[in-house]
Amino acid sequence: MVTIVGVKEVETQDGKTFTSIELQGEPQLLQSATTGNYYLTANKTRVTTLMHVETCKMLIGKQLPGTVEKVEVEPYQHINKETGEVRMLDYAYVYQ
């Protein structure tokens, strides 16, 4: 199961807007390769929708069948908005 945890209205470069919902998968306990300590995490992704943002906000907390999986993709550049750090990534999280 996945849970709807957020809603975002996005404006494209050409001025069009659309709504996306943020989906979060099941929590999972992972072990740090660096420290050996355990931490709790959950994969997240966004999917677009044709529903209005107000309708989507009412769906927060609802669960849907499926999972959020990490998949291999063509390498792309990712910029951390908080630090400005630029990294090359070769994976993405997708709803299945």
Side-chain angles (χ1 to χ4, degrees), residues 30-94:
L30 299 178
Q31 188 173 22
S32 169
T34 307
T35 66
N37 294 333
Y38 286 91
Y39 62 97
L40 189 65
T41 187
N43 295 339
K44 290 183 180 181
T45 192
R46 292 190 166 277
V47 295
T48 58
T49 178
L50 298 176
M51 294 187 282
H52 294 284
V53 69
E54 294 82 16
T55 304
C56 293
K57 287 179 181 178
M58 291 188 298
L59 297 175
I60 292 176
K62 299 286 185 186
Q63 291 191 320
L64 302 170
T67 59
V68 177
E69 300 292 332
K70 183 177 181 178
V71 297
E72 214 172 288
V73 297
E74 289 292 320
Y76 64 96
Q77 190 176 37
H78 176 269
I79 301 172
N80 183 319
K81 293 177 185 175
E82 294 177 9
T83 65
E85 177 188 8
V86 178
R87 297 184 344 172
M88 291 300 292
L89 301 178
D90 62 353
Y91 63 89
Y93 293 99
V94 297

Side-chain angles (χ1 to χ4, degrees), residues 11-34:
E11 185 173 339
T12 63
Q13 290 180 346
D14 60 359
K16 295 179 183 176
T17 60
F18 65 92
T19 304
S20 72
I21 58 173
E22 185 174 28
L23 302 175
Q24 180 175 291
E26 295 288 332
Q28 52 188 335
L29 203 55
L30 299 178
Q31 188 173 22
S32 169
T34 307

